[in-house]
C-alpha cells in the first residue's frame, strides 16, 4: 500500500477541486464523508469512483472492521497521510474516509398526480413552529 503524502499529487488536487460546485458540476461527481455514508452508498449501489482512506484510520478499530474493509477493497482506493486528508475535508473531526460518487441523472420527472411530501429541515423547536402557524389563521 502506497500512502500519498504530497498535497501536490494530481489526484489530491482533483479531489480538492470537488469542494467547488462548478467543478462538481463539470465532473458530475461529489464527495461523501464517513464510514456510515460510504456503507449506505455501497448498499444503494451508488457509482463509487474512488475511496480515499487516511492511513491513521486503518489504525482505528472502528475502521478496521473486516467486512467493511472487504467491501471497500472492491473499489479504487487511495491512501493518504493524515495531513493530506485534512486538506480534503472540511469536517472538524473527520472519520478518515471519504468517497467520490458519480451524480445520478436528474432527468426523472415528478408526477404531480401522486402524493406530495414536504420535508422540513433545520426546525429547532416544533412547538414554536406550531404556535407560529396558529397565529396565521
Amino acid at each position: 500500500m502506497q500512502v500519498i503524502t504530497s498535497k501536490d499529487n494530481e489526484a489530491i488536487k482533483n479531489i480538492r477541486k470537488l469542494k467547488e460546485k462548478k467543478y462538481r458540476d463539470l465532473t458530475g461527481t461529489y464527495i461523501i464523508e464517513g464510514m456510515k455514508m460510504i456503507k449506505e452508498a455501497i448498499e444503494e449501489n451508488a457509482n463509487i469512483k474512488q475511496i480515499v482512506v487516511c492511513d491513521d484510520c486503518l489504525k482505528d478499530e472502528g475502521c478496521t472492521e473486516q467486512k467493511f474493509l472487504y467491501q471497500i477493497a472492491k473499489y479504487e482506493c487511495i491512501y493518504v497521510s493524515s495531513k493530506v486528508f485534512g486538506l480534503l475535508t472540511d469536517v472538524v473531526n473527520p472519520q478518515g474516509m471519504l468517497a467520490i460518487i458519480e451524480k445520478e441523472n436528474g432527468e426523472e420527472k415528478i408526477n404531480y398526480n401522486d402524493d406530495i411530501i414536504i420535508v422540513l429541515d433545520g426546525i429547532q423547536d416544533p412547538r414554536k413552529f406550531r404556535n407560529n402557524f396558529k397565529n396565521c389563521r
Side-chain angles (χ1 to χ4, degrees):
M1 168 182 77
Q2 182 181 0
V3 178
I4 298 173
T5 57
S6 172
K7 67 178 183 174
D8 296 326
N9 181 288
E10 202 60 40
I12 301 305
K13 287 180 181 180
N14 288 330
I15 295 168
R16 287 180 72 187
K17 288 180 189 177
L18 288 173
K19 290 182 179 183
E20 301 171 24
K21 182 182 182 332
K22 183 172 80 172
Y23 192 73
R24 289 191 304 269
D25 291 342
L26 181 69
T27 60
T29 57
Y30 60 96
I31 294 176
I32 60 171
E33 289 195 48
M35 291 181 295
K36 183 176 187 256
M37 293 292 290
I38 294 172
K39 285 179 184 178
E40 289 179 11
I42 291 170
E43 288 171 8
E44 294 296 321
N45 296 318
N47 190 356
I48 299 173
K49 295 296 205 183
Q50 197 171 51
I51 296 178
V52 180
V53 182
C54 177
D55 63 344
D56 286 349
C57 175
L58 296 176
K59 298 170 190 167
D60 182 24
E61 286 182 26
C63 184
T64 56
E65 179 185 319
Q66 285 295 49
K67 184 179 176 186
F68 182 61
L69 291 176
Y70 288 140
Q71 286 179 320
I72 66 169
K74 297 174 187 173
Y75 300 95
E76 178 188 343
C77 293
I78 63 170
Y79 300 90
V80 298
S81 67
S82 57
K83 185 177 179 180
V84 171
F85 194 85
L87 297 171
L88 302 178
T89 182
D90 291 331
V91 178
V92 177
N93 294 316
Q95 291 183 2
M97 198 172 287
L98 60 86
I100 292 98
I101 310 287
E102 187 174 295
K103 290 182 183 181
E104 290 184 14
N105 250 351
E107 310 261 334
E108 191 174 315
K109 300 284 183 185
I110 296 174
N111 182 356
Y112 289 103
N113 294 325
D114 289 342
D115 291 337
I116 295 177
I117 298 172
I118 298 175
V119 178
L120 303 174
D121 185 31
I123 295 182
Q124 306 257 331
D125 184 357
R127 289 174 291 166
K128 188 176 183 181
F129 177 78
R130 186 175 56 229
N131 292 338
N132 288 340
F133 184 74
K134 285 180 184 176
N135 294 336
C136 294
R137 293 184 194 180

